Amino acid sequence: MRMPSFAFTFVVAVSVTLVPFAEARAQEAPASAEELAAQLASDDAKVRATAAAELSKLGPDAEPALDALIGALGDSETRVRIHAMHALLRIGAPAVEDGVPALTKLLDDDDVAVRRVAAGSVLRLRTLVEDEVAVYTDLLGHARVEVRLVGAKALYNVGPARAADVVELLGSRLRVEDDDAVRDAIGRALRRVGSGGEKPVVAARTALVGSLVADLGDEDAGKRLAAARGLGAIPGWVDGSALEALSKAAHADDVELAAAAVRALPGIGEEAVPLLVTLVGADDASVRAAALIGLLVVGKGTPEAAEAVLGALEDPESAVQLAALRALRRVAADPDDAGARVGKLIGTSDDIEVRLTAISVVASLGDGAAAAVPALVEALTTAGDARLRSTAARTLGALGATGREAALPALLAVLADASAPTNVRAASASALGTIDAGGKTKEVARALAACFGGKDRALRKAAAEALGALGSAAVDFLLPALEHEAPEVRLAAASSLQKIGSDAAAAASALEKLLFADGDTKIRRAAAVALVTVSAEPPVDAALRALESDDAGVRGAGCFLAGLVARGAPDKLVGPLGEALADASSEVRIQAAAALARVGADAAPAIGALEAAVEAEQDPKVKAILVKVHERLKPKKN
């Protein structure tokens, strides 16, 4: 029987989501705003912080503490200042007149978190009474990066009525902004606010691009650099009219300007591809790398782009090789040529990041991946770095049948090598679960099962999980694992049998035994889920026997199992679940309630038992859960 994929998650979720209701306790009457204001003067920083936090919860009702909160903005403790700002913000308009000047001073606070909160508070309070564009203008012009960033992000959702004004405001800032994060935020805000077709917006957009293009020819080097970076922040707005100016900047002796101009070129689209291809041969490595990333964006399906990317794989600079490898994932390069060149990089590069990236790229090469398999096998078996070896193993596993003749023996050899690093052996185990073993599935399963005799937990777990991916051939090897002394092996084996599903029907009795005998709640639940999945019919009898056990842990597992299958047999299981609500074990009562919640409308016959259980329950935690489930199940009034 195939169990719905949501069953296990749902039942666990019912228990988890109900617990907070169980932990609720009656609270004493909250302190008044006046009382909390007095506590802000305490010598104890914890008392002051708590008072400020409580005032923030009062919202407008905290107004009597306004003066004290403004005073708390100068507190020596960061958390007090932040809570005080939240409280002022929630008071709203009454806090503007005296609160904004005090908050504005915190825009230069020594603590970056305080500056961020202060910027947001100033923005929200001022816009209650002032023109929003004027407020944004002040924030965007502030010396502190965090303040400008808040101002830029606040403009993301400005309505169309002010869009043209906002484009003009953001554009003026974009032309001078020197911080990458703020510039990116401004670019995002411009694209969100200024992409409409209204004439004023189009005019503002066109004017901005024209101004930036003009700035590329300015005598001031700083203005030229800001213009190139600004054009790079608004891809899609830049068209072919900017190509000549960007080309000139991209060939400038100023390397920083050239690289910034190259990064802006993809915004033009495919029209920029020929120039980007040319720039892949530039003298400066940063320009070459930027051009390759540009081809990643706009060079897909372009033969000249593919040729340039392949050639760049042999560039002497690692940064350029890395950019070429990234671009190779997208451009339509010749697969065999790409595979051979990537394989060469894997085997010859002195830069470990290049080798790691090259290995990870192989799986995206399609038919060309076969040409890189020998290099992957060599990296797996001879590389001195464990990251290289484990990454090579995972990539070989992802290739399926590609290169199987070379990959399979290598993976099996590494798996059996007790001297190999554990993470490499574990990666090899995982790869053996995903590679197409062809007619050697049994051999692979046997090798994976042999790992259960070792002492490394990660390897044993990886082996058990890999067996689950092999299907029915792995069942005979997983059955002994259900009795392994290590709990992680038993858990992984049960989960693997669940993945195999109905092809693991022979494991039903062993899974039932695990459900009854294992002392680990998590393993019992995994066994229950697997039992449902492998069984041809719902294991109702197993659930009933578990509910009648003398062992509270088994009864709890029985409730869990019953919750998974009761919808298919409510007449047999709802009654026993209702009886379990009176169990001596609080955990069993919780599991019974969760199971009934899972059953839903078919649990109606247990409503009376639920009401009685609510009345009789002494444990506040359990009672809250019972109340919640009762509310969910009781008939709704029309």
Side-chain angles (χ1 to χ4, degrees), residues 260-311:
V262 174
R263 284 191 284 271
L265 284 170
I268 295 175
E270 290 186 11
E271 191 177 348
V273 169
L275 177 56
L276 287 167
V277 168
T278 300
L279 291 166
V280 171
D283 291 337
D284 185 79
S286 64
V287 173
R288 299 199 299 274
L292 287 163
I293 297 304
L295 291 175
L296 163 68
V297 177
V298 296
K300 183 178 181 181
T302 310
E304 57 265 41
E307 184 178 350
V309 169
L310 285 174

Side-chain angles (χ1 to χ4, degrees), residues 38 44 88 96 132 154 187 199-200 258 278 306 310 317 335 391 415 435 469 472 500-501 529 535 585 615:
D44 188 328
L88 289 170
V96 172
E132 58 182 355
K199 286 185 178 180
T278 300
L310 285 174
E317 294 292 333
T391 304
L415 182 68
I435 198 170
S472 58
I500 296 172
V529 175
S535 300
S585 165
E615 184 68 25

Side-chain angles (χ1 to χ4, degrees), residues 161-185:
R162 304 302 303 273
D165 294 335
V166 168
V167 170
E168 184 177 347
L169 166 62
L170 287 170
S172 63
R173 184 66 217 179
L174 186 63
R175 294 176 66 186
V176 298
E177 182 56 56
D178 60 0
D179 182 82
D180 291 342
V182 178
R183 188 185 311 108
D184 289 345

Side-chain angles (χ1 to χ4, degrees), residues 415-416 425 444-454 459-460 463 467 477:
L415 182 68
R425 296 179 71 196
V444 171
R446 187 175 294 106
L448 289 167
C451 296
F452 295 152
L459 177 59
R460 293 187 309 217
L467 281 167
F477 298 97

